[in-house]
Amino acid sequence: MRDSLHTRPNFTFVEPVTQSGQHAGRAAAALIDHAGALEAADVHAWFDRLHALRGITLSIPVRHVTAIIGPSGCGKSTFLRTLNRMHELVPGARVSGRVALDGEDIYAPAVDPVLIRRRVGMVFQKPNPFPTMSVHDNVAAGLRLAGIRDRTILDETVERSLEAAVLWDEVKDRLDKPGTSLSGGQQQRLCIARALAVSPEVLLMDEPCSALDPASTLRIEELARELAKDITIVIVTHNMQQAARVSDSTAFMLDGAVVEYGPTNALFTRPHDPRTEDYITGRFG
Amino acid sequence: MSTIHPRESFEQALRDLEADIVRMGTMAGELIHRAVEALQARDAVEADAVVADDARVDALHLEIEQRVIALLATQQPMARDLRELTSILAISIDLERMADHAEGIGKATKRMIKEPLLKPLVDIPHVEQIVQGMLTDVLDAFVRRDVALAESLGPRDDTVDALRSQVFRELLAHMVDDPQSTSRALELILIAQHLERAADHITNVAERVIYLVTGEMREINV
């Protein structure tokens, strides 16, 4: 299991949870009392000799949903992966520049990337619950790896995480069933619950709805909006309507650079750069 | 940018809508002109025809609205496409209301046709001329995306407002002098009001043209 951690990237680590089991306010708020802002400054990234990101400078505000849009291959997923030090897991991959989480450079030599990936969780395109684990154990997995054995704490955190992911009511009577027995949309919310269980400050979502039907998509979008009351969300999507629906700010990327970044409403009704205009009106890309 | 235009059929649909907006504006302008001519010529048959022909503008308006809704639903337009479609929708509503004012003038004309005119018509045809000039320019501004031309309509709307007030004052004086003339004077006031409202709709269209081009929503007359 431990060997596979790095290839299971939305499996994040956790420090011992000390919260009591009290429910407080919103489900997500009960889990999370902190949120982080991200600042990218002149971030470059390479896959061997391929220069995938060419100097990204972007300020991602706290408790906002920030969407990143752009044509395939523009570097949006790569950028997302530089925000929690996942890019460097790819053989031959390199990063330069600075990414600060609450002012702290996550690429500084003393920083443990595992801790960063705990604080900056991730959800992927295809729901990837651990196939051999139950619903309960999927959510509890990160806590268990962090050494938490107390059944009460585990159960409470699982419940609150599933509530935060708006899945609890649907699965509370089958927590012992395999995670893979859920529908696609439920599996994606399970993965979100798993990410939330370790109390991240930022949640990165990489095309989280591209494998889901419209109703499940809208549920995830609503969830992202709800979670953004407590944590910072960055979502990569090639669905512009989704970006328009879900985000407060949108960045348009092209060829490894940010072309335009601003309030979502303005970007989708009155973009400043003609390349943004051409892309979002479907005239290229 | 690709040499293939992935949205060719969408763009063609937009161009067709634009052409129909111009057609609709022209129809509304013609109706207003015919209504004022019927008033001057005291031509009940033509006044009736104006009232009946308003239905053609109404039909075109509904058709444009349905096409816009279909494009909004199926194409998910963004940016300038979104501004253009929502502007076309708003403009078609204003043009449809303009034609309603032509119908109103036709109906007023019919009501007062059996009585002699209170006075020679001077200001009402003059206002109608200004309105026609404004309409021509606003359609031109729409087709050419000409913000300056659209902005120039604000002061002209103010002129129409002033003329309408002048007509109102004159006719009020008539009513005071000769209470027998009250119903005819009221009909003429109503007609001047119809023309003034038509100019307001043109001003709305001008504001939509500015929005379409710049993304800014603002009033052009204060």
Side-chain angles (χ1 to χ4, degrees), chain A residues 18-27 29-31 152 156-157 160 163:
Chain A
T18 54
Q19 293 138 311
S20 76
Q22 293 293 309
H23 283 249
R26 286 188 301 273
L31 278 170
T152 313
E156 283 171 356
T157 309
R160 275 179 290 143
E163 277 183 350

Side-chain angles (χ1 to χ4, degrees), chain A residues 261-278:
Chain A
Y261 177 45
T264 297
N265 278 347
L267 193 122
F268 283 110
T269 58
R270 187 164 47 130
H272 292 295
D273 194 294
R275 291 169 295 173
T276 315
E277 175 98 37
D278 285 341

Side-chain angles (χ1 to χ4, degrees), chain B residues 37-72:
Chain B
E37 275 198 335
L39 169 70
Q40 286 177 292
R42 311 179 62 64
D43 183 343
V45 175
E46 180 64 359
D48 267 335
V50 167
V51 171
D53 284 352
D54 176 50
R56 290 168 47 212
V57 180
D58 290 349
L60 184 53
H61 162 65
L62 289 180
E63 190 206 313
I64 287 174
E65 188 168 345
Q66 281 164 0
R67 280 154 60 195
V68 169
I69 290 169
L71 289 173
L72 288 172

Side-chain angles (χ1 to χ4, degrees), chain A residues 240-241 244 267-271 274 277-278 280-285, chain B residues 1-2 6-7 10-11 14 76 78-83 214-216:
Chain A
M240 281 172 303
Q241 281 68 41
L267 193 122
F268 283 110
T269 58
R270 187 164 47 130
E277 175 98 37
D278 285 341
I280 66 176
T281 57
R283 284 170 176 83
F284 84 93
Chain B
M1 194 184 306
S2 160
R7 308 213 78 178
F10 175 63
E11 291 201 28
L14 281 181
Q76 289 96 37
M78 292 285 190
R80 63 170 178 249
D81 295 336
L82 182 62
R83 298 202 304 272
T214 66
E216 288 171 53

